[in-house]
Every structure is written in C-alpha cells, then in structure tokens.
C-alpha cells in the first residue's frame, strides 16, 4: 500500500507531537523487529489490548509488516472476557499497557507470552524488512459478539482491507490534502480500518484524539477537512453553538456509520452546519458495503449505493421489497476463525455473505436498512449481542430466565435493558444482579434498566417477544 512522502505528517496528537510518514515507516519496521524478537512468526496472532495511542497504530502496522495477524481488543473487556480470546485466538503474544496490566495473570495462566507496548517501543533492534504476504493471507482477526453468546473472530485478509480502503478513497475523494479528525476507538473496523487505512492509502493526515471530546473537536475543526464518527458524535453537536456554519467552513466531508443516523439528525445537522452528513454502512465481516455518494444525492435515512466492486442484493423480498441484505466482493471475510460451522451458515450456496440486516432498494439502487434479523443492540456504535448478557444473568443464583433487549436512547441510539424472572422465593435486587455480572461483562454491556417480571411474554411458538418487552419498558418509563 503506497502512503505519504517521508516528510509529510501522518498523525498529530493533542499535545502537538507530529509523526511523519518517515517516522511511521521507521517505527513500524522497528516494532516489527521487536515483535519478531519476542517470538512472533508470520501467520501468528498478536493480541493487543492497550489504550488508544499512536503506539497502537504502530503495533497494528508492525504486526502486519512482520507477516502476523493483528487482533485488537476493546480496552473495556474484563479479564474474564479476555480469557476466551486467549484460548480462541491462541496468540503468540499479548500486548498490554499500564491501563490493562491487570490482565497479565490470565495470560500467564493461559501460557501466552506478554509484552508491554512500552517494552516493544524501547527494544533497540535494526528495522525488519517487510515480510511478503499474499492477498489472501490474514492481516487481522476482529472479534464480534455472536448470537450464541460466544464471540466469533472475523478473519480479514490483506485484500479485504486494501480493496476496501481503495474503494473508500475513490468514493470519498481522499487525497494528501486531507486532514481527518480521528476521535474513534482503534479496536474496531471504523477507527482502525476505515479511518486509518483510508488516511494511509491517501497519504493524508489525521488529528488523533485519545477519545471523543466535543471541545477538542470544536478546536480542531478549522485545521481539518473531514471527520468520521458514529451518529452520537453528530447528535451531541446539534444545539451546541460551537458547531455552526463558520466552524465547519474549512471542512469538506462529514461521514457517519456503525449505527443508524436518524433522518431528523441529518436534517438538523445540515441546518446548523451547512453539511449533509454522508452515511455509509458496513460490518466487521464485510468492511464497508455501501456509501452515499460524494457528488449526487445523499439521501437521509439510506446508506447509499454499493461501493465499487461490491455486489449487494436483497434476498427473498416481501411485497414491499424488504428482505435480507446479502453481500459479495473482495471486501468480504473468508470466514470465522476456527469456526467452519458458523462460516458455512453465514454464506449462501452462491457465495454471498448473509449480513442479518433487513433492507430494501429504491429505484435508484440506494439501500435502506429497515431492521435486523439478528438479535443485536447498537449502543453508541458498540454492538452488543443480548445472548451474551442473558447467559451471564441466567447463570446467577435465583434467576429462572432473562431477556435482554434494546431501548431507544436520545444520546446513544439504543441502550441495553433486561427483563428477569426469578425463581419462587428468590430475592435478587437490581444492584446485586449488576454487581454479580460486572466481572464478566464490559461496562458498556451492562443493562441500564432491569425489570423483574413473573413471566416473559412468549408467542405461540414459545419465542420470547422482545418487541413486547420493549413496549412494556417504554410505557413504564413514560408513567
Ligand atoms: C461509553 N459508555 C457506553 C458507551 N460508551 N455505554 C453504552 N454504550 C456506549 N457506546 C459508558 C461507559 O462505560 C461509562 O459508564 C459512561 O458511558 C461514560 O463513558 P465515556 O467513555 O465518557 O463515554 P462517552 O465519551 O460518552 O462515549 C460515547 C461514545 C463512545 C463517544 C459514543 O461510545 C464511542 O466512541 N463509540 C464509538 C464506537 C465505535 O467506534 N463503533 C464502531 C464499531 P459509567 O460511567 O456508567 O461507568 S465498527 C462497526 O460498527 C462497523 C463495522 C461499522 O460500520 O463501522
Ligand atoms: P459490527 O457487528 O460492529 O460489525 O456492526 C455491523 C452492524 O452495524 C451492521 O450489520 C448493521 O446492523 C450496523 N450498521 C453499520 N452501519 C450502519 C448504518 N449506517 N446504519 C445502520 N446500521 C448500521
């Protein structure tokens, strides 16, 4: 992948420290040598759970440079969640930092070697030449929660990542003149691949924030040309006088993804800033699938048109043209890590990936997502599979059964709620329940409201009616 000239800035942190493309190549090649010295061979998995920092990007690129497979982990995962990733990915190395150091005993118990990001940065070895890889070789595995409660590792090849970065660069007209505000986490597709790979392949630069911060973003807008975010980023700007048309005068493109952007948010943002947000759609398994156009109508409430080289179809459309969204192209995963059954289930016989999203096409070919076949909650752009939480709640003493579902939320889009049925005579409180699941589930997965019921509503097939639970919870909150 060609990147910028050596003297050009690649990344600037909040304290003004600049990493040029020349610095980047040197640091990546040196970190790659450090990884090799730590025992990482081509094809090995490298797990990385560290706070967002430029070092995290160097380690991503160094892993790939060394021919290995990068496996980033959400820093909010608990040690007990990490235990599963250690056994499933069987990594040659786990990289931690001071914020995640408490995970070390779990790794040692699993006989996985640990290095800190500081140790790797301090290793003084000659740069490693890049290890040649084929397009179908793995570059990364990203874990996405599963409907069975177990996370699945989506395998991503070099070709998956490079083809998608090329398609997005072309579609969004990225070039060396671009300056991206990067305020997303870097353990997911959005911040790691969409934002970083598109910047790299364009020789562009980014203003790199440790986390989403409205004040910092307001200060950076005059130097930036573009921003990528989840809808919560933009709904938080609405009504804030710092984000007016003058503040956005230097920006050329505002991009949203990872969760539905309400048409009302689109309209209010355009009215306030003069920018029609460009919404796009993707998945961990497929990278980006569709995007609204750079030129031409950005239709609010739609996720736009298939990217160049990507085929999208609607399977088994009903009378209104609504059906399952299926995708084929160089962007799509070859499957789930060591999970041939799940892989087989996720593809049609003619090789289309089944997204689990429900959609329809308009007469111009724009895709709208109208629902989900999969049981998923998207909160502030984080995907949460109810099953994973239900498994934890159901295992608690005194619990008969539970159902976890999403409730609409003005800031995060959706938040997690739970309905719990206790065994006769059991006396579990909401606080006790939350305290007991805390060691097992990252904070963002904890239910924000819990209702104790005598029974869960079920249909005639015995399936829990989550739509009914959602209605009951909304009505209870209104009273
Ligand atoms: C933080 N908290 C959350 C979330 N974020 N709870 C539920 N959902 C969330 N998303 C909780 C924290 O645990 C904490 O809890 C409290 O909220 C405040 O934390 P803080 O970090 O201050 O939160 P924030 O700054 O308000 O963060 C909201 C956020 C952030 C900026 C929306 O969640 C974020 O950056 N989301 C982006 C996620 C993302 O990159 N998704 C892309 C996935 P307490 O204080 O009670 O302990 S990739 C993808 O989906 C596909 C492939 C695609 O198409 O891109
Ligand atoms: P992930 O599991 O993180 O890969 O998230 C993928 C899912 O996020 C998709 O299957 C969609 O349900 C959802 N998603 C991503 N982008 C959008 C969008 N622009 N609008 C609605 N849903 C989206």
């Amino acid at each position: 992948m060609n990147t910028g000239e050596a003297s050009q800035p690649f990344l600037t942190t909040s304290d003004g420290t600049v990493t040029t493309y020349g610095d980047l190549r040197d640091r990546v090649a040196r970190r790659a040598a450090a990884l090799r010295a730590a025992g990482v061979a081509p094809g090995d998995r490298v797990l990385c759970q560290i706070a967002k920092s430029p070092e995290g990007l160097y380690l991503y690129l160094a892993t790939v440079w060394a021919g290995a497979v990068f496996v980033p982990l959400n820093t909010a995962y608990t040690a007990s969640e990490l235990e599963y990733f250690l056994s499933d990915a069987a990594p040659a190395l786990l990289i931690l930092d001071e914020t995640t150091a408490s995970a070390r005993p779990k790794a040692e118990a699993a006989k996985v070697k640990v290095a800190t990001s500081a140790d790797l940065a301090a290793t003084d070895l000659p740069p490693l030449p890049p290890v040649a890889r084929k397009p179908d070789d793995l570059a990364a595995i990203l874990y996405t929660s599963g409907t069975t409660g177990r996370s699945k590792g989506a395998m991503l090849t070099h070709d998956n990542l490079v083809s998608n970065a090329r398609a997005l660069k072309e579609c969004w007209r990225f070039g060396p003149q671009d300056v991206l505000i990067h305020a997303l986490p870097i353990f997911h597709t959005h911040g790691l691949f969409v934002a970083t790979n598109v910047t790299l392949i364009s020789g562009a630069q980014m203003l790199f924030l440790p986390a989403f911060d409205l004040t910092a973003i307001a200060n950076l807008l005059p130097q930036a040309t573009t921003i990528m975010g989840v809808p919560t980023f933009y709904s938080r700007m609405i009504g804030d006088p710092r984000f007016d048309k003058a503040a956005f005068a230097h920006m050329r493109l505002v991009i949203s993804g990872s969760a539905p952007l309400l048409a009302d948010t689109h309209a209010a943002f355009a009215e306030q800033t003069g920018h029609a947000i460009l919404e796009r759609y993707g998945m961990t398994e497929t990278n980006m699938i569709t995007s609204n156009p750079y030129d031409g109508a950005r239709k609010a409430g739609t996720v736009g048109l298939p990217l160049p080289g990507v085929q999208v179809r609607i399977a088994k459309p009903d009378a209104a043209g609504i059906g399952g969204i299926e995708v084929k192209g160089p962007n799509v995963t070859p499957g789930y890590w060591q999970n041939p059954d799940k892989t087989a289930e996720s593809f049609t016989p003619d090789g289309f990936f089944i997204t689990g999203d429900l959609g329809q096409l308009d007469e111009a070919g724009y895709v709208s997502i109208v629902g989900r076949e999969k049981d998923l909650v998207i909160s502030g752009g984080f995907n949460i599979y109810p099953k994973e939480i239900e498994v934890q709640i159901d295992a608690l003493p005194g619990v008969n059964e539970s159902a976890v579902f999403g409730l609409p939320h003005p800031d995060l889009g959706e938040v997690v709620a739970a309905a719990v049925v206790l065994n006769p005579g059991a006396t579990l409180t909401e606080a006790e329940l939350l305290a007991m699941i805390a060691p097992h589930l990252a904070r963002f997965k904890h239910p924000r409201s819990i209702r104790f019921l005598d029974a869960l509503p079920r249909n005639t097939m015995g399936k829990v009616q989550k739509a009914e639970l959602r209605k009951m919870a909304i009505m209870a909150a209104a009273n």
Side-chain angles (χ1 to χ4, degrees):
M1 181 148 100
N2 289 327
T3 56
E5 297 297 323
S7 61
Q8 281 179 331
F10 160 61
L11 173 154
T12 306
T13 49
S14 310
D15 65 1
T17 307
V18 176
T19 303
T20 64
Y21 275 94
D23 297 332
L24 178 67
R25 281 185 203 114
D26 182 62
R27 285 174 204 167
V28 166
R30 286 180 192 280
R31 303 297 184 273
L35 290 172
R36 176 59 61 79
V40 173
D44 281 348
R45 276 77 53 215
V46 173
L47 250 63
C48 185
Q49 192 186 33
I50 66 172
K52 183 179 177 184
S53 61
E55 203 56 49
L57 292 186
Y58 306 154
L59 289 168
Y60 152 49
L61 297 168
T63 302
V64 174
W65 187 279
V69 182
F70 190 65
V71 190
L73 295 177
N74 192 328
T75 44
Y77 287 150
T78 62
S80 113
E81 286 167 304
L82 178 72
E83 205 170 351
Y84 167 73
F85 300 119
L86 287 166
S87 82
D88 193 65
L93 189 69
L94 167 68
I95 306 173
L96 300 172
D97 66 7
E98 63 285 359
T99 66
T100 52
S102 60
R104 189 180 274 270
K106 286 280 182 206
E108 284 166 358
K111 306 221 173 341
V112 171
K113 188 168 177 178
V114 178
T116 67
S117 49
D119 289 344
L120 293 167
T123 306
D124 190 17
L125 288 172
L128 187 81
V131 173
R133 298 267 85 188
K134 294 196 280 302
D136 288 346
D137 284 333
L138 295 191
I141 297 174
L142 262 60
Y143 278 91
T144 94
S145 297
T147 40
T148 56
R150 284 258 118 146
S151 288
K152 305 161 288 181
M155 299 190 284
L156 296 159
T157 66
H158 284 261
D159 194 38
N160 290 156
L161 300 184
V162 173
S163 67
N164 210 236
R166 286 204 178 112
L168 295 174
K169 170 184 188 289
E170 181 185 325
C171 183
W172 297 339
R173 311 270 170 89
F174 262 66
Q177 74 292 343
D178 273 310
V179 183
L180 171 78
I181 297 179
H182 192 305
L184 290 157
I186 56 168
F187 42 70
H188 277 315
T189 297
H190 199 162
L192 188 64
F193 300 143
V194 183
T196 305
N197 290 352
V198 170
T199 300
L200 283 168
I201 205 167
S202 309
Q205 54 169 307
M206 50 176 136
L207 306 173
F208 201 66
L209 295 174
F212 177 77
D213 174 347
L214 271 182
T215 302
I217 292 175
N219 292 336
L220 293 175
L221 281 176
Q223 302 164 49
T225 63
T226 182
I227 181 168
M228 296 180 192
V230 297
T232 302
F233 281 24
Y234 305 118
S235 56
R236 286 187 186 176
M237 292 179 193
I238 291 170
D240 184 325
R242 293 173 296 179
F243 297 91
D244 61 5
K245 291 193 173 71
F248 275 85
H250 191 251
M251 295 282 282
R252 71 168 185 91
L253 183 60
V254 177
I255 302 170
S256 178
S258 307
L261 181 78
L262 299 179
D264 284 353
T265 308
H266 192 277
F269 192 87
E271 165 85 22
Q272 181 177 318
T273 67
H275 276 272
I277 297 174
L278 181 151
E279 185 176 5
R280 57 57 175 184
Y281 157 59
M283 273 185 88
T284 306
E285 290 90 333
T286 62
N287 296 286
M288 297 306 100
I289 302 168
T290 67
S291 173
N292 271 280
Y294 190 81
D295 293 323
R298 295 181 194 167
K299 294 189 192 172
T302 83
V303 292
L305 302 157
L307 289 170
V310 177
Q311 294 175 63
V312 174
R313 71 181 182 194
I314 304 294
K316 301 195 195 91
D318 65 11
I322 298 171
I325 301 178
E326 296 181 349
V327 189
K328 194 178 200 175
N331 51 316
V332 176
T333 177
Y336 296 107
W337 174 251
Q338 292 192 322
N339 201 338
D341 294 346
K342 249 301 161 251
T343 301
E345 269 172 35
S346 304
F347 286 88
T348 64
D350 60 347
F352 276 74
F353 181 80
I354 302 163
T355 63
D357 292 313
L358 289 170
Q360 67 190 139
L361 302 175
D362 71 9
E363 63 297 338
Y366 283 64
V367 178
S368 296
I369 300 173
V370 297
R372 296 177 204 134
E373 287 171 309
K374 53 194 172 191
D375 190 14
L376 164 71
V377 177
I378 306 184
S379 181
F382 282 139
N383 287 10
I384 302 162
Y385 278 85
K387 188 76 191 170
E388 195 184 352
I389 304 160
E390 290 163 359
V391 165
Q392 294 296 339
I393 297 177
D394 291 350
L396 299 178
V399 172
N400 180 356
E401 59 174 350
S402 67
V404 168
F405 51 97
L407 281 182
H409 188 267
D411 179 41
L412 296 169
E414 286 183 293
V415 287
V416 175
V420 179
V421 178
L422 296 180
N423 290 326
T427 57
L428 191 65
T429 65
E430 176 165 350
E432 286 165 347
L433 187 155
L434 287 172
M436 282 196 270
I437 62 167
H440 306 291
L441 291 170
R443 173 77 187 113
F444 69 88
K445 299 176 190 170
H446 296 188
R448 296 298 193 254
S449 78
I450 297 177
R451 286 162 55 81
F452 291 94
L453 302 179
D454 294 335
L456 297 177
R458 292 181 186 275
N459 66 14
T460 47
M461 312 288 287
K463 193 172 177 306
V464 176
Q465 292 176 296
K466 293 197 175 178
E468 192 55 37
L469 286 169
R470 198 170 296 122
K471 230 186 284 165
M472 284 161 62
I474 293 170
M475 273 163 52
N479 290 330

